[in-house]
């Protein structure tokens, strides 16, 4: 589904503001309610955690049993932003996995909303699975962040035309076919 805008307007600061507005809308509609868990992934997770970049939407998986689409639209109207600012459709994408929740890290509480972000390792896997060219800067950033956290980053790539051959972002780079045989050989 195409976004209503291609101009990145959501950054780490206004994500918090939009979620605060959403919390107020939920409270206004439902009164006292249990906490709402929202897991943020994609560029919005990088914007929240690192202030790395802006994005056109917040990829989110929302754990709340009641209908909130009208609250999401109210936030859009209040802030004069596109109504697709909170993208729950990302859960239908090939790079989404329920396992992302297992590795998600609590980031902050915004009103009645518990905000979780996908771990850097899961985020990197998600970005690589998507295979989109536009994710290359995120992949590079995440590789460097993981190296900084002490991970040994090893990239296996069968396409020499990509950023995945850059030895500055990985400890080791293998240009091999992506088969179980070659991956097993590398792991040994």
């Amino acid at each position: 589904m195409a976004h209503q805008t291609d101009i990145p307007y959501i950054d780490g600061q206004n994500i918090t503001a939009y979620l605060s507005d959403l919390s107020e809308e939920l409270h206004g509609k439902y009164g006292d309610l249990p906490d709402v868990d929202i897991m943020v992934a994609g560029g919005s997770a990088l914007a929240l955690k690192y202030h790395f970049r802006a994005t056109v939407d917040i990829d989110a998986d929302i754990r709340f049993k009641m209908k909130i689409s009208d609250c999401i639209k109210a936030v859009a109207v209040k802030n004069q932003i596109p109504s697709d600012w909170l993208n729950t459709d990302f859960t239908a994408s090939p790079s989404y996995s329920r396992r992302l929740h297992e590795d998600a890290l609590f980031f902050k509480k915004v009103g009645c909303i518990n905000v979780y972000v996908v771990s850097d390792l899961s985020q990197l896997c998600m970005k690589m699975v998507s295979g989109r060219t536009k994710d290359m800067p995120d992949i590079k950033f995440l590789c460097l962040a993981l190296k900084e956290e002490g991970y040994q980053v090893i990239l296996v790539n069968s396409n020499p035309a990509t950023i995945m051959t850059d030895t500055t972002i990985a400890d080791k780079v293998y240009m091999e076919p992506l088969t179980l045989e070659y991956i097993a050989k590398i792991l040994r």
Side-chain angles (χ1 to χ4, degrees):
M1 182 174 125
H3 292 289
Q4 294 173 5
T5 181
D6 291 329
I7 301 167
Y9 65 95
I10 297 176
D11 60 28
Q13 283 185 310
N14 58 18
I15 289 173
T16 300
Y18 298 153
L19 291 177
S20 178
D21 289 347
L22 180 60
S23 176
E24 289 175 17
E25 289 291 332
L26 290 168
H27 186 72
K29 180 171 182 162
Y30 296 111
D32 287 333
L33 58 129
D35 286 351
V36 177
D37 290 340
I38 295 182
M39 181 194 66
V40 177
S44 49
L46 294 176
L48 260 179
K49 196 170 175 187
Y50 296 108
H51 299 280
F52 173 61
R53 69 177 181 92
T55 185
V56 298
D57 65 0
I58 300 171
D59 291 332
D61 191 359
I62 302 172
R63 298 287 170 100
F64 188 62
K65 298 200 183 303
M66 296 176 207
K67 184 179 175 192
I68 66 168
S69 57
D70 51 340
C71 295
I72 293 169
K73 286 179 185 162
V75 171
V77 169
K78 175 182 179 182
N79 291 284
Q80 299 179 333
I81 58 176
S83 60
D84 65 349
W85 69 275
L86 190 61
N87 176 22
T88 58
D89 291 340
F90 111 96
T91 59
S93 73
S95 59
Y96 175 77
S97 164
R98 301 290 281 150
R99 183 164 181 204
L100 293 174
H101 279 280
E102 295 171 22
D103 297 333
L105 309 167
F106 178 77
F107 186 71
K108 69 164 91 178
K109 187 168 181 70
V110 180
C112 66
I113 299 173
N114 295 317
V115 181
Y116 294 83
V117 293
V118 173
S119 72
D120 289 348
L121 190 55
S122 292
Q123 180 92 314
L124 177 61
C125 294
M126 190 179 81
K127 292 283 185 179
M128 292 182 86
V129 165
S130 76
R132 300 178 308 187
T133 303
K134 73 177 195 171
D135 287 330
M136 291 303 170
D138 293 349
I139 291 169
K140 182 175 182 177
F141 180 84
L142 286 163
C143 284
L144 295 172
L146 287 167
K147 281 179 71 167
E148 199 170 288
E149 289 177 30
Y151 284 89
Q152 182 181 18
V153 177
I154 299 171
L155 297 175
V156 182
N157 191 352
S158 60
N159 182 358
T162 69
I163 197 170
M164 301 314 165
T165 59
D166 185 347
T167 55
T168 63
I169 66 168
D171 297 298
K172 293 181 184 175
V173 176
Y174 293 91
M175 297 303 300
E176 304 286 350
L178 295 177
T179 64
L180 286 176
E181 178 186 342
Y182 281 103
I183 301 298
K185 187 189 286 187
I186 290 168
L187 291 174
R188 284 188 223 128

